[in-house]
Amino acid sequence: MSKRTLFTYYSSSSSTPTPPETNARPPKNRRVEFCASDIISDPGLRKPIDEYSFEIRDQDKRAYALRGPTQQPVGFTFPRSWKSGEWRSFQQHWFGTYDWLEYSESKDAAFCFYCYLFFEPGKPDKWGSSVFAKVGIDKWKKALEKFDKHGASHSHCNARLKCDDFMNQRTSVTRKFEKQSKEEDNRYKTRLSSSLDVARFLIQQGDAFRGHDESSTSLNKGTFREMIDWYKDKVEVVKDAYYKGSKNCQMLSPFIQKDLTKACAEEVTSVIMDEIHGRRFSVLIDESRDVSIKEQMAMVLRFVNDEGKVLERFLGLKHIDKCTSIALKEALVGMISSHKLSMNMIRGQGYDGASNMRGEFNGVQKLVRDQNPYAFYVHCFAHQLQLVVVAVSTSTPAIADFFNYVPLIINTVGASCMRKDILLAKHHDSLLEKLENCEIATGRGLNQESSLARPGDTRWGSHLKTLLRILVMWEAILEVLEIVKKDSIKPTCTGGAFGLISKMESFDFVFIMHLMIEILSTTDTLSRALQRKDQDIVEAMHSIMSVKETLQDMRDNGWEPLFRRVKSFCDKNEIEVPDMDKEVNARGTSVRRRQKVTNMHFYHVEIFLAAIDAILTEMNHRFSEASSELLVCMASLNPRNSFSNFDVDKLVKLAEIYAEDFDVGHLAVLPSQLKAFHQRAKRNREFLGCTELSKVAEIMVKTTMNTSYPLVYRLVELTLILPVATASVERVFSAMSLLKTDLRRKIGDEWLNDLMICYVEKEIFRSISSDKIIHRFEDMKKRRRLVPKDNLVIAPHGED
């Protein structure tokens, strides 16, 4: 910065322009960093390697080489074109013959993977990626036959050799000059293994890595470095590896921590991709804001594995700038293609009720259906059920007034820590008194300390939880309200507590509370069933029908038992029970109108029947799609009562709906396979007592019936992958709130995604050996040191 004198200061305001500073510093060049989103699976959409910045070009090459060529899975339908008097298309078996071959779904063109990475622009060759991509469908077969006949071209062979040499860091020239002793190599492996062990522990626990001050004089260097120091003190070998080893390769830097996390996440993703292995799947996505007010989209895949089990695997997070349907659809396509999956393999999509997700004209489900008509959409059943509960809470004026008072009671009783302590103490004394009088039983898990919870419109089961807490802590709540009334200085607080006591000790409040507990208990059972990961659409439909039947039975036969329970509760708590035959003025109307009704009519008709009719009507409205043709056909696979609903015609119709998976020949053979399977299933003891379709798939795999009746198993598989609820995505967002907190709000999107994949899929993460992670860690970048080859054992997944 140049010095300013008095002359330049006063002359700056004059009309004479000030000459520019000649010694000003040039602007700082922004550092280019590698981003995993730059790696595009579709070879037709990639930019040339030369267009990447030279600073990250090698890292991009390594990322592409680790990902491998993009080859469509078995079962993918390649487009056909009329050329030279016949229909021609790309052939699946070419991938097995030519491992370097790639296919672009967007361009419908073939590419050479190695030529894309290491093609020499100065030496044109017809097998280079720039020319080979332009080979049309009519020339693919001839070109490949000629290539196979005359052998690989010189440029293609060089590109493949360069790729092998590039990925093999052990044979590089740098390794020849930087030879280390065996002891130093062992120390390096000890340091790397120690850092990986600590990183794995922190990832599994969802703890932070970094600290505010990581200097050597800091008393708290952060969890990662503090655990490394603890490791040194406990294990002498680790201590020697850090103090006697190289000081410029300690494997403690933040970049090493992120690389280790990414290596873990990529290994977990690799296991998930091996499980999918070209299978048809459904997608469950939802969006939510994190703590730093960033819109994040989470994606979960639902599919059936080799054992016939339904799995839901988390695929990753994606930051979205604008939460529009187009942006969500682009993010969905990007995440699907980045994992070398095809949009054509989607057979179901499940979202919540947001307009940008389920919209029939511009929503994500419509945009995906335009690209893949067999990606059938199912509105999340659990969200629909929650909307039913919210609607019932305002179904009648009396019930709506009841739920207006419930938050007031909770807020008044829990307004301060002192009131909460008094509430718990009074509840404790009440439990002791009931135990002495043998009114309640003792046992493990019973009579636990609890507090009041406020109901929420978006929290499943919160309404029932709140009412149950009020019922259990009834005496304690009334005593706290009396204390608030006596000790309050302000008349407003005294009057509020006075009114709440009068409201709680009224027959109306007690009656509606017991009624809503009984209704919500029925729907809560269904809500918990819908949140199961292995829940199938057929069982969900059966559960919905069972709830409707239970509610109808409650409407017909539930009044007398409910009234007896309410009356018993009122007698016990000295609450006046009104005369049911007495005529009173209609509630909510003026006395001048003189509309007289009996108390029995009010409680039985205007509250009891009205509430049950409202929930039945709302369920029929919300779950109207359960009567669609697709789900009616799927219901024929219900295994209850020895496949009593089995209907061959409906199942053939279901196969016709999935025309992409059943051709004309399959439809001709399918009826005979269905009849043979039905007869064998009724005779097989394995199916006795089977009530869930997911168990049918497992039994078919166990008894090899999936190979005897492949078309029937395909129908079962398509039915199982149709999503029921987005509970898995909600669990992902719950995990995100634990990983990205107020103290970690600046965590990067890429690192957050890597942490989320490992944290959500803990079972897979724990089964991966450390040697596999170290091997991927070394291949990700050019490393200063490498673990000795004889010390690195790559075990298969699930073995350590």
Side-chain angles (χ1 to χ4, degrees), residues 296-316:
Q296 302 283 356
M297 187 194 79
M299 178 185 294
V300 174
L301 298 187
R302 181 183 175 95
F303 59 94
V304 181
N305 66 354
D306 292 331
E307 299 176 358
K309 295 182 179 180
V310 182
L311 299 179
E312 291 183 353
R313 298 300 190 193
F314 173 58
L315 205 61

Side-chain angles (χ1 to χ4, degrees), residues 326-371:
I326 297 178
L328 288 169
K329 194 258 182 179
E330 291 177 353
L332 168 64
V333 174
M335 292 185 68
I336 290 292
S337 61
S338 65
H339 292 85
K340 297 196 294 187
L341 299 174
S342 174
M343 292 288 292
N344 291 337
M345 304 301 288
I346 299 179
R347 291 297 178 268
Q349 44 181 335
Y351 317 127
D352 60 7
S355 58
N356 60 347
M357 304 291 286
R358 66 166 301 190
E360 298 180 2
F361 300 102
N362 296 318
V364 177
Q365 67 101 1
K366 178 61 169 58
L367 298 176
V368 174
R369 286 289 300 274
D370 291 340
Q371 185 173 349

Side-chain angles (χ1 to χ4, degrees), residues 40-143:
I40 302 175
S41 294
D42 194 327
L45 303 178
R46 299 173 188 159
K47 63 181 180 180
I49 287 292
D50 297 338
E51 294 185 9
Y52 287 97
S53 176
F54 69 92
E55 300 171 348
I56 60 171
R57 191 174 301 166
D58 285 351
Q59 200 166 349
D60 286 311
K61 289 183 178 180
R62 290 187 185 279
Y64 275 117
L66 286 175
R67 188 179 293 265
T70 301
Q71 299 182 349
Q72 300 300 327
V74 177
F76 179 82
T77 303
F78 295 96
R80 303 174 67 190
S81 177
W82 182 263
K83 297 291 183 180
S84 304
E86 61 178 342
W87 289 100
R88 293 184 178 180
S89 67
F90 193 93
Q91 299 299 315
Q92 181 70 41
H93 65 86
W94 290 347
F95 289 137
T97 306
Y98 310 101
D99 58 350
W100 45 265
L101 192 60
E102 290 187 294
Y103 177 79
S104 171
E105 186 176 351
S106 61
K107 302 292 185 181
D108 189 24
F111 291 79
C112 175
F113 177 68
Y114 298 108
C115 292
Y116 166 74
L117 295 178
F118 294 95
F119 179 66
E120 301 179 13
K123 298 181 180 180
D125 187 271
K126 64 180 180 180
W127 297 110
S129 59
S130 59
V131 180
F132 190 74
K134 299 178 182 179
V135 178
I137 298 178
D138 57 332
K139 298 182 181 180
W140 277 353
K141 189 174 181 180
K142 294 181 181 179

Side-chain angles (χ1 to χ4, degrees), residues 26 41 53 167 252 260 401 428 489 576 618 631 643 697 782:
S41 294
S53 176
M167 294 301 295
L252 298 176
L260 288 173
D401 183 67
H428 180 265
I489 300 176
E576 182 180 358
E618 196 67 22
L631 300 186
F643 294 90
K782 185 178 180 181

